[in-house]
Amino acid sequence: MKRRTLLLGTSALVALGIGGLATRPGSSARAAAGPFEIELTEAEWRERLSPEQFYILREHGTERAYTSPLNDEKRAGIFHCAGCDLALFDAAVKYDSRTGWPSFWEPMVGAIRESEDRSFGMVRTEVHCARCGGHQGHVFNDGPQPTGLRYCINGLALQFRPAEAA
Ligand SMILES: [Zn+2]
């Protein structure tokens, strides 16, 4: 009897833990809480994005390190949101962080919003597009001057426009 009580108690706690995490505002492992200027249904996003982009932008996924061709992108230009095309980062603030993800030390004014991410047992600052809420990556405090910030961004969440084509 005692063992059964213990088991029940554990599963109830697990259920509570998961439920609590999923409903706490701002810490969801899904797309950031709105309202946003651009809000589409899941079906509309799936139509607009590739499955890999959907996973990153709408499901808070992370691409594997060193898989994005944008890691090696060194031309002048602007990195736009792959979800809504908002200009997010100027190539002038891109640098090689040697992490395997495109990294920037400063977003364009008003382009990026932040939320607390408590997934995977860590407390991180999640960053997303201010216009569509699409998940971009995370920001850390180990970046270069003048900001000291490292915006660690998924290449799949970005669309690069070289300056000469703009
Ligand atoms: Zn966007």
Side-chain angles (χ1 to χ4, degrees):
M1 249 350 247
K2 206 170 181 188
R3 186 180 154 79
R4 176 183 255 188
T5 311
L6 191 69
L7 281 173
L8 268 174
T10 307
S11 52
L13 275 177
V14 168
L16 267 175
I18 290 169
L21 199 71
T23 52
R24 196 185 304 140
S27 69
S28 165
R30 292 274 164 154
F36 293 101
E37 191 188 322
I38 293 183
E39 293 199 350
L40 304 179
T41 64
E42 181 181 329
E44 287 167 333
W45 280 121
R46 283 192 190 279
E47 202 168 297
R48 182 186 277 222
L49 304 170
S50 71
E52 294 79 15
Q53 287 175 321
F54 184 89
Y55 168 66
I56 306 289
L57 287 160
R58 309 311 309 174
E59 299 189 305
H60 206 147
T62 300
E63 71 195 12
R64 283 197 303 120
Y66 297 102
T67 54
S68 173
L70 293 184
N71 271 313
D72 301 318
E73 181 57 67
K74 292 185 172 66
R75 287 174 289 173
I78 303 288
F79 292 84
H80 294 250
C81 173
C84 75
D85 207 33
L86 181 66
L88 301 182
F89 297 96
D90 192 308
V93 302
K94 186 174 188 286
Y95 74 103
D96 184 6
S97 64
R98 295 177 192 186
T99 57
W101 289 280
S103 301
F104 308 86
W105 50 262
E106 185 178 59
M108 302 194 64
V109 176
I112 289 286
R113 281 202 234 159
E114 302 180 351
S115 66
E116 189 176 89
D117 175 6
R118 290 183 171 270
S119 61
F120 302 106
M122 296 179 273
V123 181
R124 295 178 294 170
T125 303
E126 183 267 342
V127 294
H128 52 269
C129 170
R131 184 155 71 179
C132 73
H135 173 68
Q136 292 288 326
H138 293 86
V139 59
F140 301 93
N141 289 318
D142 56 10
Q145 292 305 318
T147 62
L149 298 173
R150 170 170 59 98
Y151 286 83
C152 184
I153 306 298
N154 291 283
L156 280 165
L158 298 170
Q159 183 90 51
F160 179 64
R161 299 258 170 76
E164 54 266 31

